[in-house]
């Protein structure tokens, strides 16, 4: 099956610093990747949709200058949390859709997530 | 009004019983519906997806969709303690590839009692 990896799996950083999270589709090409954030005991909240070769589409309320997304290739998307603050501490999860599938065979593959703690 | 609603639970069922999880959605134009299972500290894993009205069965799992009532459910037969997790309902909204997105419900926590 399709595999999506994320790196790092866990990161602790100091307030004011920036953190980059990588999302890779290992055995398929993904034109579209999604970035989610999940706070404890809450559901996944879509932050942005990342499209290869174009600007990301951010959800309402998500600061695009704070959460920088780069989808440089068909297998890699990165999320950079700039000037991180303790309230940015969360579980960040990416997902990718394999291109070329028929609609009725569609699914998105989730990465294992990155636990960010800002101190 | 939330776009995808679920009862947060916890829903407790005895081992071997049927667990019934429910989800309602607000966008009448939604076409694709998904059930994910998420263990604590892990990312979601897909259990089933359904596009057409009616039932879809896969092993111990059955998804039911009623578009007129904007309702989708998941039945888990012969529930096992390993089924204890949070179950997320997701709805795909939008159109063609590149313009769609997924909206998740808050999840229902299921506890299967041994």
């Amino acid at each position: 099956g399709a595999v999506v990896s994320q790196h790092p799996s866990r990161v602790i950083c100091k307030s004011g610093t920036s953190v980059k999270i990588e999302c890779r589709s290992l055995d398929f090409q993904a034109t579209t990747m999604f970035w989610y954030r999940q706070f404890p005991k809450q559901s996944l909240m879509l932050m942005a949709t990342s499209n290869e070769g174009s600007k990301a589409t951010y959800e309402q309320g998500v600061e695009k200058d704070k959460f920088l997304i780069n989808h440089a290739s068909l297998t890699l998307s990165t999320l950079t949390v700039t000037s991180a603050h303790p309230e940015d501490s969360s579980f960040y999860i990416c997902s990718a859709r394999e291109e070329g599938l028929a609609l009725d065979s569609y699914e998105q593959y989730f990465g294992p997530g990155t636990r960010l703690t800002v101190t | 009004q939330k776009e995808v609603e679920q009862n947060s639970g916890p829903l407790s069922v005895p081992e071997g019983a049927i667990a019934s999880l429910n989800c309602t959605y607000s966008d009448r134009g939604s076409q694709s519906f998904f059930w994910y299972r998420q263990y604590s500290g892990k990312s979601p894993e897909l259990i089933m997806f359904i596009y057409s009205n009616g039932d879809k069965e896969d092993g111990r799992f059955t998804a039911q969709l009623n578009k007129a009532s904007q309702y989708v459910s998941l039945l888990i037969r012969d529930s096992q303690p390993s089924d204890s997790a949070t179950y997320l309902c997701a709805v795909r909204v939008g159109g063609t590839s590149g313009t769609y997105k997924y909206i998740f419900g808050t999840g229902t926590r299921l506890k299967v009692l041994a």
Side-chain angles (χ1 to χ4, degrees):
Chain A
V3 177
V4 176
S5 70
Q6 275 186 248
H7 178 80
S9 59
R10 187 179 296 268
V11 58
I12 300 173
C13 71
K14 292 188 176 181
S15 186
T17 61
S18 295
V19 174
K20 179 184 285 188
I21 303 170
E22 293 186 348
C23 177
R24 292 181 185 273
S25 55
L26 298 185
D27 51 3
F28 67 98
Q29 294 185 330
T31 302
T32 303
M33 292 184 175
F34 302 93
W35 285 97
Y36 296 88
R37 180 169 54 182
Q38 186 176 36
F39 292 108
K41 299 191 185 303
Q42 295 186 25
S43 189
L44 275 72
M45 296 301 297
L46 179 65
M47 299 175 66
T49 302
S50 170
N51 295 298
E52 187 268 339
S54 64
K55 291 184 178 179
T57 302
Y58 290 82
E59 293 299 300
Q60 189 173 9
V62 178
E63 299 174 58
K64 61 181 181 181
D65 294 331
K66 179 172 181 61
F67 298 98
L68 302 179
I69 292 174
N70 186 313
H71 195 150
S73 75
L74 288 172
T75 59
L76 172 64
S77 177
T78 61
L79 168 67
T80 301
V81 182
T82 64
S83 187
H85 291 285
E87 57 265 31
D88 298 323
S89 299
S90 187
F91 191 42
Y92 291 85
I93 310 173
C94 73
S95 72
R97 180 178 188 271
E98 184 174 2
E99 296 309 310
L101 295 181
L103 178 63
D104 61 0
S105 63
Y106 170 90
E107 72 173 274
Q108 60 173 331
Y109 302 100
F110 281 93
T114 297
R115 178 77 58 190
L116 170 63
T117 302
V118 184
T119 61
Chain B
Q1 180 187 5
K2 292 183 179 178
E3 294 189 60
V4 180
E5 294 202 47
Q6 295 180 256
N7 187 317
S8 61
L11 171 67
S12 296
V13 300
E15 183 176 359
I18 296 175
S20 177
L21 305 165
N22 304 315
C23 172
T24 58
Y25 60 95
S26 61
D27 186 347
R28 188 170 287 279
S30 300
Q31 296 294 318
S32 311
F33 308 88
F34 305 81
W35 281 101
Y36 291 86
R37 176 173 62 196
Q38 186 177 28
Y39 293 109
S40 181
K42 303 294 184 182
S43 64
E45 54 180 322
L46 181 70
I47 297 176
M48 293 189 71
F49 59 89
I50 185 167
Y51 299 110
S52 303
N53 275 325
D55 296 358
K56 179 181 179 182
E57 187 175 318
D58 184 0
R60 297 188 295 115
F61 301 96
T62 298
Q64 299 175 317
L65 175 61
N66 184 324
K67 291 185 180 180
S69 299
Q70 295 175 243
Y71 174 94
V72 58
S73 66
L74 179 70
L75 300 178
I76 305 174
R77 290 182 297 281
D78 188 22
S79 296
Q80 301 298 309
S82 58
D83 294 327
S84 298
T86 296
Y87 289 79
L88 302 171
C89 172
V91 176
R92 192 176 84 166
V93 298
T96 57
S97 178
T99 65
Y100 57 77
K101 61 184 181 183
Y102 297 84
I103 306 299
F104 282 80
T106 53
T108 298
R109 192 154 59 96
L110 173 67
K111 290 184 176 180
V112 180
L113 308 173

